[in-house]
Amino acid sequence: MTSTGIRLHAPEPGWSIKADVVVVGSGVAGLTAALRCEAAGLTTVVVTKARLDDGSTRWAQGGIAAALGEGDTPDQHLADTLVAGAGLCDEEAVRILVTEGPDAVRRLINTGAHFDTDDEGDIHLTREGGHHRRRIAHAGGDATGAEVSRALVEAVRARGLRTIENALVLDLLTDADGRTAGVTLHVMGEGQHDGVGAVHAPTVVLATGGMGQVYSATTNPSVSTGDGVALALRAGAEVSDLEFVQFHPTVLFLGTDVEGQQPLVSEAVRGEGAHLVDGDGTRFMVGQHELAELAPRDIVAKGILRRMLEQGAEHMYLDARHFGADMWEHRFPTILAACRAHGIDPVTEPIPIAPAAHYASGGVRTDARGRTTVPGLYACGEVACTGVHGANRLASNSLLEGLVYAERIAADIVAAHAGDGLHARVPAPVPHPETPAHPLLAPEARFAIQRVMTEGAGVLRSEESLARAAEQLQRLHTDARDALDENGKTAEPGVDTWEATNLLCVARVLVAAARLREETRGCHWREDHDGRDDGDWRRHIVVRLNPDRSLAVRTTDTADFPPTR
């Protein structure tokens, strides 16, 4: 796969540093990969968009799923994951996850993470949607992500890994052979590394997280603007399954006019026995699925939305008043505090909830070792599409995927450096002064994109809504492209314009894939194509960016999922 030659409009790098490996992102996936590479003697640099602990990992409330409990097995975990993935999981990728997962969690504990334990000192395991066993390890009640992030950040600092914070990655650098040669990035407030610069390295690991900010309401932090997927597309990499955006069923409803990151009400609350009810107090998930409120997330989100549409309501309720104050304070202190901060006391009243964008099951296509279709470029965590999640992620598999596949990536990188002597060579990036710069959007375009996506490509989709979204997104793209092509004008380079441009890139791909997939599967719900079509659509939609900035879209069989290079 060769580079498109497309890059963001940005100043030329004013500074540079060298490394063996550059890891972009500081969540569970990025820091795990960085620690493993550094431990093997590779000079490793971690680049992160905000602070080290500001990514999506620290917002994870539920926990890490792994077959750690008595009577549980990797095969049972495999079965639950395949059911949730609605026929599109790569079974070998899932088998890797569930078999290597328990030991990966134990290594995380050895790194310094502390999980909640029972009276006997064993890890306390709970249950979430789609799981038939209690296999969710949690920390601080509902603060698992914060504890995982704390442990990894402390390990990174203790090992003295070089980190560059407040750095937005811009584009991939390549050498004369088309192999990865590092990244360009923009840094704010790093003294000698201020402004646009470059990290030259023969290996790049993308662990940039998700793209939830493409929607008006999301559980994702403000930094989740799809930067890694957009960079990979401009570099010529393939992305897959971007239509499968998981909408978390139970997000605290703050009003239809509230945009941006919204407080999550963890699936673990339902795992401990909370009920979904409508305004009359009627449980509506009973009878819709054998697991009722603990059905996979796509089923619960659809059940909530159906009831909202039937009753003309803006939200439903999660009722856990029967927990009592003590359980709320000790098991779910973070959620309790968030609810009370918004004037809701779940001890005495039901919690108003509605679905919101949560997790991208698709992303940059990788093989079982995290390699993308661009030599030297790896991806792990939410930015990647390993084949584990299929059409719908099983609850609490995301932190586990970050752990397992980051370790596999590090092992592959270490082997490649040892075998090819990559640590001894300094990549020489090929300058591309004549290549086309990607036109930039004005910062306010971000809100236009979010509205278009929420209205046209949200939980409920149709050909009409998706066609309208595609037209509106294409207009934004065309206006920016024509302005640049005709008179060289583009929005002023900066974080806000780069983020808006990245959001438009991933939005266009998501809508194109969602429009092509004429069925309802997993978290992709087409109201004009009710039901799953295994005859025509047990396939993946793969997209890449052409040099003229148009999209090349194709489908591939599930058996062909791991990309060939």
Side-chain angles (χ1 to χ4, degrees):
M1 188 66 62
T2 57
S3 172
T4 65
I6 301 171
R7 55 185 173 82
L8 286 173
H9 186 84
E12 290 298 312
W15 55 269
S16 66
I17 61 174
K18 294 183 175 70
D20 293 324
V21 183
V22 56
V23 177
V24 187
S26 60
V28 61
L31 294 188
T32 299
L35 285 166
R36 300 294 184 270
C37 288
E38 188 274 341
L42 300 179
T43 303
T44 305
V45 174
V46 176
V47 172
T48 188
K49 193 172 181 181
R51 295 175 301 176
L52 276 180
D53 62 350
D54 268 349
S56 293
T57 290
R58 76 181 181 97
W59 296 100
Q61 296 173 344
I64 302 180
L68 297 166
E70 184 178 355
D72 197 6
T73 65
D75 280 344
Q76 293 178 61
H77 191 181
L78 172 77
D80 285 344
T81 300
L82 295 179
V83 169
L88 283 189
C89 294
D90 178 79
E91 186 167 340
E92 182 55 30
V94 179
R95 192 170 298 281
I96 288 169
L97 179 82
V98 299
T99 56
E100 298 182 10
D103 282 344
V105 172
R106 295 183 184 102
R107 284 188 288 272
L108 178 62
I109 293 171
N110 291 336
T111 301
H114 301 290
F115 290 94
D116 296 341
T117 57
D118 58 25
D119 294 339
E120 285 73 43
D122 296 324
I123 295 176
H124 181 267
L125 300 174
T126 188
R127 190 174 162 206
E128 294 184 0
H131 294 272
H132 285 79
R133 288 276 188 177
R134 284 184 169 266
R135 65 168 66 99
I136 315 300
H138 55 88
D142 58 357
T144 307
E147 170 59 16
V148 169
S149 180
R150 180 206 62 77
L152 291 172
V153 168
E154 286 189 6
V156 163
R157 288 174 174 157
R159 297 289 288 269
L161 264 75
R162 186 167 192 174
T163 61
I164 304 177
E165 297 181 289
N166 301 307
L168 171 64
V169 67
L170 299 176
D171 282 305
L172 190 73
L173 295 169
T174 54
D175 63 16
D177 297 323
R179 183 184 175 86
T180 295
V183 294
T184 56
L185 62 159
H186 176 266
V187 184
M188 296 182 293
E190 283 286 329
Q192 61 177 325
H193 294 148
D194 198 17
V196 175
V199 180
H200 295 160
T203 305
V204 174
V205 180
L206 289 180
T208 52
M211 55 184 188
Q213 289 291 326
V214 78
Y215 292 97
S216 298
T218 177
T219 63
N220 289 193
S222 61
V223 295
S224 298
T225 51
D227 308 317
V229 172
L231 173 150
L233 282 164
R234 289 192 296 272
E238 292 182 341
V239 303
S240 183
D241 296 356
L242 230 60
E243 70 271 30
F244 296 117
V245 177
Q246 187 178 80
F247 287 79
H248 198 287
T250 53
V251 175
L252 185 62
F253 180 78
L254 302 177
T256 55
D257 58 342
V258 177
E259 297 183 334
Q261 187 178 9
Q262 318 265 316
L264 176 68
V265 182
S266 170
E267 193 138 353
V269 178
R270 281 176 281 135
E272 296 292 354
H275 300 146
L276 286 165
V277 298
D278 60 19
D280 297 324
T282 302
R283 289 181 66 186
F284 54 86
M285 285 304 300
V286 176
Q288 293 198 40
H289 189 276
E290 60 163 331
L291 296 175
E293 283 92 352
L294 285 176
R297 289 178 177 176
D298 62 309
I299 294 171
V300 178
K302 291 170 186 175
I304 292 171
L305 191 58
R306 283 194 187 100
R307 197 68 155 196
M308 288 167 57
L309 293 172
E310 289 170 3
Q311 299 187 346
E314 293 180 333
H315 61 83
M316 291 285 107
Y317 294 92
L318 186 65
D319 191 352
R321 289 174 291 178
H322 55 285
F323 283 7
D326 185 68
M327 182 171 176
W328 268 111
E329 290 166 3
H330 290 91
R331 178 67 178 88
F332 301 110
T334 306
I335 299 170
L336 178 64
C339 288
R340 285 178 170 170
H342 292 284
I344 299 155
D345 188 350
V347 176
T348 60
E349 60 186 318
I351 305 168
I353 53 88
H358 182 56
Y359 190 89
S361 293
V364 185
R365 275 184 108 215
T366 74
D367 64 11
R369 288 180 281 178
R371 300 180 302 175
T372 74
T373 49
V374 175
L377 178 65
Y378 294 79
C380 60
E382 192 173 355
V383 70
C385 185
T386 61
V388 160
H389 305 305
N392 186 40
R393 176 178 67 97
L394 181 65
S396 288
N397 267 356
S398 53
L399 292 179
L400 188 70
E401 183 195 31
L403 279 177
V404 169
Y405 280 87
E407 290 188 340
R408 293 179 69 84
I409 284 172
D412 195 68
I413 291 172
V414 171
H417 278 250
D420 299 338
L422 294 179
H423 63 284
R425 76 179 182 89
V426 178
V430 176
H432 294 292
E434 75 289 346
T435 57
H438 200 291
L440 301 180
L441 273 68
E444 55 268 23
R446 175 177 183 145
F447 304 105
I449 294 166
Q450 290 172 335
R451 287 191 293 272
V452 167
M453 294 298 290
T454 298
E455 293 171 2
V459 178
L460 187 59
R461 304 163 179 178
S462 67
E463 169 58 27
E464 181 181 357
S465 73
L466 290 166
R468 184 168 60 249
E471 180 182 359
Q472 293 169 324
L473 294 174
Q474 183 62 37
R475 189 177 306 123
L476 288 170
H477 172 74
T478 301
D479 289 348
R481 181 199 64 195
D482 290 349
L484 182 63
D485 290 348
E486 292 172 8
N487 52 36
K489 291 184 178 180
T490 188
E492 189 68 23
V495 172
D496 290 343
T497 54
W498 289 320
E499 286 185 335
T501 303
N502 285 338
L503 283 171
L504 178 60
C505 179
V506 297
R508 290 176 62 218
V509 175
L510 193 162
V511 169
R515 195 175 180 187
L516 182 60
R517 184 174 290 280
E518 294 182 333
E519 65 160 354
T520 290
R521 181 188 296 269
C523 51
H524 172 66
W525 186 9
R526 285 284 298 261
E527 62 175 337
D528 52 344
H529 291 281
D530 188 29
R532 183 167 132 181
D533 181 0
D534 281 341
D536 291 332
W537 282 111
R538 197 164 180 265
R539 301 172 63 79
H540 297 275
I541 296 174
V542 179
V543 183
R544 60 179 176 81
L545 193 64
N546 290 320
D548 66 356
R549 309 183 191 106
S550 63
L551 301 179
V553 184
R554 67 183 178 88
T555 62
T556 180
D557 292 334
T558 53
D560 184 43
F561 180 78
T564 54
R565 304 171 73 242

